[in-house]
Amino acid sequence: MTWLITGGAGYIGAHVARAMADAGEHVVALDDLSAGVPERLPANIPLVEGSTLDGALVARVLAEHAVTGVVHLAARKQVAESVAQPLRYYRENVGGLGTLLEAVADAGIERFVFSSSAAVYGNPDVALITEDTPCAPVNPYGETKLAGEWLVRAAGRAHGIATVCLRYFNVAGAGAPALADTGVSNIVPMVFDRLTRGEAPRIFGADYPTPDGTCVRDYIHVADLAEAHLAAARGLAEKSLTGDLTVNIGRGEGVSVRELIAVIGEVTGDRRAPVVEHRRPGDAPRAVASARLAAETLDWRARHGVPEMVESAWRGWRARLAQ
């Protein structure tokens, strides 16, 4: 088989591309390089620069590389940006997916893995979020991911495409320093950025109904997430997964923001006290996955803990500062 990985030069995409290639899968990456970094990919993974909105380009890539399966990660993913630019998010996240699926259907490709998000759930008041927890996204980003799932399943039913939708929880860490997250929108690099500039970490709200008053989240190492994609792709290739599957990808363990900042302090040696600011709109008090279905259907379990995530991310952050 040959797998097309859209967004393959991105933070998550490059980890997925490398994991699949290292496991012996043939891989080609498509990325518009708006956030992707070509140097993240080794020389044996072809990189095509372009957007999933370009149907002619997508069709050409599928044909020229004899693609037999797709892992779709390309999307815009910042919540605040989605609130400010909802039209852009719907155009790129939903419109780009629709264009890609048209090309996939026309090419007769029968396997499709979709990068979804825990943002589809919104703010459910449950101890563990299962795949049956009602979806009620609270921002345009989450809406586009839920609409994307609907589109993937509908196209799968109509065109005989076996599909897997992976709902990620909070991604952190780096499989290698060169693959580290280069943005500062996620909490771990956000705290690194504050500490590097000599500023205290920020906590947005410390009066939530949680043990220490700060939000509780489920963090997943990006290397574990990449292995989940590999498991989904192989399940589709081996036909042990034949219908549509939607599954959470998380550790099933909650870590509060205050606890996470304490781990970052231990790893970096900078233990300055965080400052508490006002709550951010839309933040749920608790969002922790049930990881049972992933274990049962993909034979996948997270292997890395939070200290490993922070340590690997910190190595990548320092490597980038040294450049």
Side-chain angles (χ1 to χ4, degrees), residues 11 15 21 29 31-32 37 40 60 78-79 81 88 93 110 152-153 163 183 190 196 215-216 248 270 293:
Y11 166 52
H15 281 88
D31 201 298
D32 66 5
V37 179
R40 285 178 170 143
R60 186 165 67 249
Q78 294 186 29
V79 169
E81 183 181 62
R88 181 183 187 185
N93 291 6
E110 298 177 344
V152 166
R153 296 187 198 107
T163 64
M190 186 185 300
T196 300
C215 293
V216 173
N248 290 336
D270 190 333
L293 189 61

Side-chain angles (χ1 to χ4, degrees), residues 32-35 51-53 74-97 140-141 143-145:
D32 66 5
L33 301 184
S34 60
S51 168
T52 55
L53 286 163
R76 303 209 61 86
K77 62 174 189 175
Q78 294 186 29
V79 169
E81 183 181 62
S82 79
V83 173
Q85 301 179 44
L87 296 177
R88 181 183 187 185
Y89 269 66
Y90 272 87
R91 180 177 66 251
E92 295 193 23
N93 291 6
V94 182
L97 172 60
Y141 167 66
E143 292 167 3
T144 64
K145 284 300 183 180

Side-chain angles (χ1 to χ4, degrees), residues 202-210 212-217 256-258 261 274-281 283-285:
R202 292 185 295 178
I203 290 175
F204 295 101
D207 57 351
Y208 286 94
T210 60
D212 66 15
T214 66
C215 293
V216 173
R217 295 290 181 267
S256 76
V257 172
R258 197 178 292 279
I261 290 175
V275 297
V276 175
E277 300 187 0
H278 295 296
R279 291 186 182 191
R280 294 181 303 188
D283 275 348

Side-chain angles (χ1 to χ4, degrees), residues 34-309:
S34 60
V37 179
E39 291 74 22
R40 285 178 170 143
L41 294 173
N44 65 331
I45 297 180
L47 172 61
V48 179
E49 183 177 354
S51 168
T52 55
L53 286 163
D54 186 341
L57 172 65
V58 172
R60 186 165 67 249
V61 171
L62 296 179
E64 290 180 355
H65 292 272
V67 171
T68 49
V70 174
V71 179
H72 179 53
L73 296 106
R76 303 209 61 86
K77 62 174 189 175
Q78 294 186 29
V79 169
E81 183 181 62
S82 79
V83 173
Q85 301 179 44
L87 296 177
R88 181 183 187 185
Y89 269 66
Y90 272 87
R91 180 177 66 251
E92 295 193 23
N93 291 6
V94 182
L97 172 60
T99 300
L100 173 63
L101 284 168
E102 284 188 78
V104 165
D106 289 344
I109 293 169
E110 298 177 344
R111 302 165 187 88
F112 196 95
V113 180
F114 177 58
S115 163
S116 190
S117 168
V120 301
Y121 294 114
N123 298 334
D125 184 16
V126 294
L128 287 179
I129 297 172
T130 74
E131 291 78 4
D132 293 327
T133 299
C135 293
V138 295
N139 53 65
Y141 167 66
E143 292 167 3
T144 64
K145 284 300 183 180
L146 184 55
E149 288 188 9
W150 294 338
L151 185 54
V152 166
R153 296 187 198 107
R157 289 190 296 269
H159 299 286
I161 305 168
T163 64
V164 177
C165 296
L166 301 179
R167 292 173 174 171
Y168 317 163
F169 280 66
N170 296 64
V171 185
L179 301 182
D181 193 354
T182 57
V184 293
S185 58
N186 294 328
I187 185 169
V188 173
M190 186 185 300
V191 174
F192 289 165
D193 182 55
R194 298 277 296 184
L195 296 178
T196 300
R197 291 189 281 114
E199 299 175 358
R202 292 185 295 178
I203 290 175
F204 295 101
D207 57 351
Y208 286 94
T210 60
D212 66 15
T214 66
C215 293
V216 173
R217 295 290 181 267
D218 191 335
Y219 295 94
I220 179 77
H221 196 298
V222 67
D224 285 332
L225 179 59
E227 291 297 324
H229 285 82
L230 174 62
R234 287 201 157 164
L236 292 174
E238 296 164 2
K239 297 190 176 180
S240 59
L241 301 175
T242 56
D244 64 90
L245 173 67
T246 300
V247 61
N248 290 336
I249 303 298
R251 293 170 59 245
E253 298 178 14
V255 178
S256 76
V257 172
R258 197 178 292 279
E259 289 171 333
L260 179 64
I261 290 175
V263 173
I264 293 173
E266 291 294 323
V267 170
T268 64
D270 190 333
R271 299 177 179 84
R272 73 186 70 199
V275 297
V276 175
E277 300 187 0
H278 295 296
R279 291 186 182 191
R280 294 181 303 188
D283 275 348
R286 178 181 172 88
V288 179
S290 166
R292 179 186 58 81
L293 189 61
E296 293 176 353
T297 58
L298 302 179
D299 192 24
W300 171 91
R301 294 168 181 81
R303 297 183 294 110
H304 300 87
V306 170
E308 293 174 87
M309 296 180 213

